[in-house]
């Protein structure tokens, strides 16, 4: 092969299901699964005479997505019909947006090597989903129309990605943002988000520049399949360029699928002619203005995005990358943390309690942070009584367990159980003397220079006090006693 060098060019189209209560243009419930054809009506079955109406919240959710991805929101927009034939498309056309999309000119910054790579978004438009074909092996094919007419946005990027990993990271970043602003469930396995990747290569050979024909790989529904399918296409296109110049020169855009089992892309069709979708303005829905109030409402719902939040939390609270990543894994969790942090004398400690202890409890109970009985105030109270020296960190663990079990406030638990740590010097000094008297071997070791027994002796003092001794006082007294020996 005499290829000097090549560059990978990838652009994505992401279809994403929105979290409206009803379908896009009718009042059928918008939900995944269930018995086939149980959530259908004349509108989403495309029966003649049925009139579509834009569902409440549909345009606003689209605007939320657009603003979260830094787009401009159109002041005036419309729906269009896109005609084609396919069994899962009941009406013979899809209601979509053609020349006046709701959102344009956005971008997403992908974190890459300590900096950011910007991927531009050309447009985001609203459209309806189609039914779902079920091909049963050795039997018939069926179509479930529950999905027909559910609201989607389609996000179209510029061809700004230059590696398969980048395309996967793009999908991941968009998923995080759109989940965060509660536009979508973002569940890839349930097809809430599906990615089509357009990929080709720029190749330099003997000083000349070539471009391979674009492959559009359809319906990639995991980060891994995006990465693997694109990696496979890079190799396949390079090999094709090398062996078949003739076909290459005549190359048309190809539509491909990804066979996950074989790990290969499969040609579905070659677009060797212009496909006429016969776009026309949807006559049953009037073009409409997007009110500035709607856009302002949408802007409020976007709020601070996850990456900005991570950077701020790192700076404000001195948390690690890993910690902020975990805390921002869900919007509910990070808002909960921020409330606890605000009320805590030591916000970093509040983060530690949540990350190390509370998440383990949630995991075990398979609960979300919003489902648990304790509130951010509980964690703040716990942090504050430890900071004040009312209880020791060791006691705090027991108080935490009790708090989870009863949802009582930590200070209340301390009062009830008489747990308050003792700073009573005489009492602790007595424990220290007892420990020294009871452990002649350790003391002998200490005298012969093994200073690491001090930690062990400290442990014995704490044990004797049943965890009630404040470690600072105990350490001080123990060292004083040892110095006298
Ligand atoms: Zn319906
Ligand atoms: Mn589409």
């Amino acid at each position: 092969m005499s290829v000097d060098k090549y560059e990978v060019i990838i652009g994505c189209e992401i279809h994403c299901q929105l979290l409206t209560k009803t379908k896009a243009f009718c009042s059928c419930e918008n939900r995944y699964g269930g018995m086939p054809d149980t959530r259908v009506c004349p509108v989403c079955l495309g029966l003649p005479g049925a009139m579509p109406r834009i569902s409440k919240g549909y345009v606003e959710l689209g605007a939320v997505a657009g603003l979260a991805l830094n787009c401009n929101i159109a002041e005036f927009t419309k729906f269009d019909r896109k005609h084609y034939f396919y069994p899962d498309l009941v009406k013979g056309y899809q209601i979509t947006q053609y020349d006046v999309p709701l959102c344009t000119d956005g971008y997403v910054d992908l974190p890459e090597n300590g900096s950011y790579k910007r991927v531009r978004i050309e447009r985001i438009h609203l459209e309806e989903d189609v039914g779902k074909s079920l091909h049963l092996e050795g039997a018939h094919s069926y179509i479930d129309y529950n999905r027909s007419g559910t609201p989607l946005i389609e996000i179209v990027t510029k061809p700004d990605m230059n590696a398969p990993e980048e395309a996967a990271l793009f999908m991941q970043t968009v998923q995080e943002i759109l989940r965060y602003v509660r536009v979508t469930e973002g569940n890839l396995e349930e097809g809430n988000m599906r990615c089509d990747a357009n990929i080709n290569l720029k190749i330099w050979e003997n000083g000349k520049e070539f471009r391979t024909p674009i492959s559009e790989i359809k319906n990639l529904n995991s980060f891994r399949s995006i990465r693997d399918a694109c990696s496979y296409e890079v190799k396949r296109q390079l090999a094709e360029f090398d062996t078949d110049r003739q076909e290459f020169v005549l190359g048309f855009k190809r539509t491909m699928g990804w066979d996950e089992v074989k790990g290969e892309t499969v040609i579905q069709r070659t677009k060797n002619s212009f496909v006429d979708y016969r776009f026309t303005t949807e006559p049953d829905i009037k073009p409409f203005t997007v009110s500035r109030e709607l856009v302002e409402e949408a802007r409020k719902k976007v709020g601070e995005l996850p990456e900005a939040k991570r950077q701020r939390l790192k700076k404000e609270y001195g948390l690690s990358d890993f910690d902020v990543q975990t805390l921002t894994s869900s919007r509910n969790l990070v808002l909960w943390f921020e409330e606890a942090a605000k009320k805590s004398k030591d916000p970093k400690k509040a983060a530690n309690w949540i990350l190390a202890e509370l998440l383990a409890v949630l995991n075990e109970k398979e609960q979300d942070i919003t489902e648990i009985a304790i509130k951010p105030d509980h964690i703040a109270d716990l942090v504050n009584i430890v900071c004040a020296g009312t209880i020791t960190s060791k006691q705090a663990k027991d108080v935490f367990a009790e708090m989870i079990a009863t949802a009582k406030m930590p200070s209340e638990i301390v009062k009830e159980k008489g747990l308050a740590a003792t700073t009573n010097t005489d009492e602790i000094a007595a424990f220290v003397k007892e420990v020294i008297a009871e452990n002649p071997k350790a003391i002998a070791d200490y005298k012969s220079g093994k200073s690491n027994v001090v930690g062990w002796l400290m442990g014995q003092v704490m044990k004797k006090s049943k965890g009630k001794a404040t470690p600072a006082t105990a350490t001080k007294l123990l060292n004083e006693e040892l110095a006298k020996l």
Side-chain angles (χ1 to χ4, degrees):
M1 196 183 276
S2 53
V3 166
D4 302 326
K5 71 174 182 167
Y6 69 90
E7 185 184 301
V8 180
I9 305 168
I10 305 173
C12 288
E13 286 162 31
I14 295 177
H15 283 94
C16 175
Q17 286 177 348
L18 302 186
L19 279 169
T20 55
K21 288 212 169 58
T22 58
K23 291 188 182 181
F25 304 109
C26 61
S27 55
C28 291
E29 192 192 352
N30 175 26
R31 179 159 61 80
Y32 174 81
M35 283 296 284
D37 297 343
T38 49
R39 290 190 304 277
V40 289
C41 74
V43 174
C44 55
L45 284 176
L47 301 186
M51 288 292 278
R53 265 221 318 251
I54 305 174
S55 275
K56 194 165 175 276
Y58 184 22
V59 178
E60 185 176 315
L61 270 190
V64 171
L67 292 170
L69 302 177
N70 307 295
C71 292
N72 299 323
I73 310 299
E75 291 186 23
F76 178 80
T77 188
K78 66 185 176 87
F79 282 99
D80 301 277
R81 290 185 177 184
K82 177 183 178 178
H83 298 83
Y84 62 94
F85 173 76
Y86 206 76
D88 59 18
L89 181 69
V90 269
K91 299 191 289 290
Y93 61 84
Q94 177 190 32
I95 304 181
T96 180
Q97 295 192 290
Y98 182 47
D99 49 346
V100 194
L102 179 65
C103 320
T104 48
D105 294 327
Y107 62 87
V108 175
D109 286 333
L110 308 180
E112 229 176 51
N113 311 321
S115 155
Y116 294 99
K117 153 104 184 209
R118 180 158 292 186
V119 175
R120 290 167 299 159
I121 290 171
E122 188 172 297
R123 59 185 280 158
I124 303 175
H125 61 257
L126 306 171
E127 63 185 26
E128 58 177 341
D129 209 345
V130 295
K132 198 173 183 178
S133 306
L134 307 161
H135 305 290
L136 301 188
E137 200 148 332
H140 304 285
S141 286
Y142 297 89
I143 298 168
D144 173 5
Y145 288 110
N146 281 345
R147 201 177 70 180
S148 176
T150 56
L152 298 177
I153 47 173
E154 180 177 333
I155 304 165
V156 183
T157 77
K158 298 273 189 193
D160 285 351
M161 288 156 275
N162 302 105
E165 293 73 25
E166 230 167 64
L169 180 61
F170 175 76
M171 179 75 161
Q172 207 176 339
T173 308
V174 169
Q175 181 202 41
E176 182 187 44
I177 293 171
L178 294 187
R179 273 184 169 169
Y180 204 78
V181 297
R182 300 189 175 106
V183 156
T184 184
E185 207 86 64
N187 198 331
L188 272 56
E189 302 88 74
E190 293 183 1
N192 292 160
M193 285 180 83
R194 315 185 291 267
C195 178
D196 302 342
N198 286 286
I199 175 167
N200 74 329
L201 307 175
K202 211 190 259 184
I203 295 177
W204 289 270
E205 187 189 53
N206 305 326
K208 269 199 277 182
E209 189 183 306
F210 301 86
R211 274 175 201 247
T212 57
I214 296 173
S215 296
E216 179 177 14
I217 317 168
K218 287 278 192 192
N219 280 325
L220 298 167
N221 61 1
S222 71
F223 305 133
R224 193 195 155 137
S225 59
I226 294 172
R227 195 195 57 207
D228 292 353
C230 289
S231 302
Y232 180 86
E233 262 309 296
V234 171
K235 282 193 216 115
R236 194 197 62 73
Q237 290 188 11
L238 272 176
E240 186 180 70
F241 176 79
D242 201 46
T243 57
D244 198 348
R245 300 300 160 97
Q246 193 53 32
E247 197 193 328
F248 167 72
V249 171
L250 295 172
F252 299 112
K253 181 171 173 173
R254 292 187 182 116
T255 305
M256 309 192 107
W258 172 241
D259 185 327
E260 192 139 19
V261 181
K262 284 192 189 148
E264 291 172 5
T265 51
V266 191
I267 294 188
Q268 290 175 337
R269 65 194 142 97
T270 308
K271 282 188 186 168
N272 55 4
S273 63
F274 176 69
V275 182
D276 184 3
Y277 288 118
R278 291 166 287 133
F279 279 104
T280 172
T281 301
E282 167 60 55
D284 290 338
I285 303 172
K286 269 196 205 144
F288 56 100
T289 51
V290 181
S291 76
R292 291 303 101 179
E293 293 81 56
L294 181 146
V295 176
E296 281 324 301
E297 271 312 302
R299 205 180 296 283
K300 272 185 220 149
K301 288 187 178 149
V302 173
E304 187 180 36
L305 293 172
E307 181 61 14
K309 216 180 249 303
R310 280 193 283 272
Q311 296 308 327
R312 186 171 61 75
L313 294 182
K314 260 172 35 181
K315 229 194 260 160
E316 266 176 33
Y317 298 134
L319 300 172
S320 70
D321 280 328
F322 182 79
D323 289 350
V324 292
Q325 195 68 46
T326 312
L327 285 171
T328 53
S329 62
S330 96
R331 185 169 187 152
N332 289 339
L333 179 64
V334 75
L335 293 180
W336 206 96
F337 159 71
E338 285 186 279
E339 206 182 323
K342 244 180 263 159
K343 294 174 175 164
S344 299
K345 294 211 173 82
D346 187 341
K348 195 165 176 352
K349 282 216 171 81
N352 289 340
W353 277 108
I354 292 169
L355 291 163
E357 309 291 337
L358 191 56
L359 286 184
V361 172
L362 292 177
N363 236 340
E364 195 185 315
K365 296 188 171 187
E366 294 184 3
Q367 276 182 329
D368 180 80
I369 191 79
T370 54
E371 295 168 311
I372 196 155
I374 69 159
K375 302 274 169 273
D377 280 343
H378 285 80
I379 290 289
D381 187 32
L382 184 60
V383 169
N384 292 344
I385 58 178
V386 175
C387 283
T390 313
I391 55 169
T392 65
S393 337
K394 187 174 177 304
Q395 288 173 312
K397 295 233 176 199
D398 299 331
V399 172
F400 177 85
E402 181 74 12
M403 171 183 88
I404 294 295
T406 62
K408 282 185 186 157
M409 274 303 192
S411 35
E412 202 180 315
I413 296 169
V414 167
K415 230 180 267 163
E416 268 179 24
K417 306 215 156 187
L419 280 176
T422 176
T423 43
N424 185 329
T425 324
D426 293 344
E427 208 179 327
I428 300 174
F431 292 137
V432 168
K433 284 196 179 119
E434 278 175 43
V435 165
I436 289 175
E438 287 164 13
N439 296 285
K441 166 111 185 25
I443 298 305
D445 284 349
Y446 171 77
K447 282 184 180 163
S448 68
K450 289 186 187 158
S451 57
N452 57 350
V453 295
V454 177
W456 183 82
L457 288 167
M458 240 320 268
Q460 299 308 303
V461 174
M462 292 307 290
K463 214 177 194 178
K464 232 179 221 309
S465 80
K466 301 198 168 63
K468 285 172 76 173
T470 33
T473 316
T475 309
K476 185 171 155 272
L477 293 175
L478 177 63
N479 283 329
E480 279 172 17
E481 283 303 313
L482 289 175
K484 287 185 203 158
L485 293 172

